[in-house]
Amino acid sequence: MSTQHQSVHRLVHSVIRTARQVNWYIGQVMGDAAYENYLTRHKRVHPDKQPLTQREFWRSRDTFNEENVQSGCC
């Protein structure tokens, strides 16, 4: 493999890795991974209990957010 080809390969690998990291970060910030995070924690903390379904989870989260509105900076 030529040096130029190796450099291009490293660059492409770096761009792909960075894109995956950015995608993960945006998903975390936007809440896309909230249910998966809930399942991971639930399995660790409550292994003997059935977790909420995805639909139940989102309804519960929406209800909580509606009942606990935080506005302003303080």
Side-chain angles (χ1 to χ4, degrees):
M1 198 184 297
S2 72
T3 305
Q4 184 179 8
H5 185 71
Q6 289 174 341
S7 295
V8 170
H9 185 266
R10 278 195 299 269
L11 177 63
V12 168
H13 180 72
S14 178
V15 168
I16 290 171
R17 186 181 64 234
T18 301
R20 286 180 179 152
Q21 291 170 340
V22 168
N23 187 47
W24 174 86
Y25 177 77
I26 290 172
Q28 293 294 319
V29 170
M30 299 302 291
D32 294 347
Y35 184 66
E36 289 79 15
N37 293 340
Y38 158 74
L39 289 177
T40 301
R41 182 180 182 281
H42 188 278
K43 185 177 181 180
R44 186 178 66 250
V45 177
H46 307 287
D48 56 329
K49 295 184 181 177
Q50 184 75 13
L52 298 174
T53 64
Q54 191 167 7
R55 185 176 196 163
E56 292 168 335
F57 169 80
W58 288 111
R59 282 186 179 172
S60 173
R61 183 176 165 156
D62 288 345
T63 299
F64 177 84
N65 288 337
E66 288 172 5
E67 293 173 355
N68 298 284
V69 176
Q70 297 179 2
S71 61
C73 66
C74 305

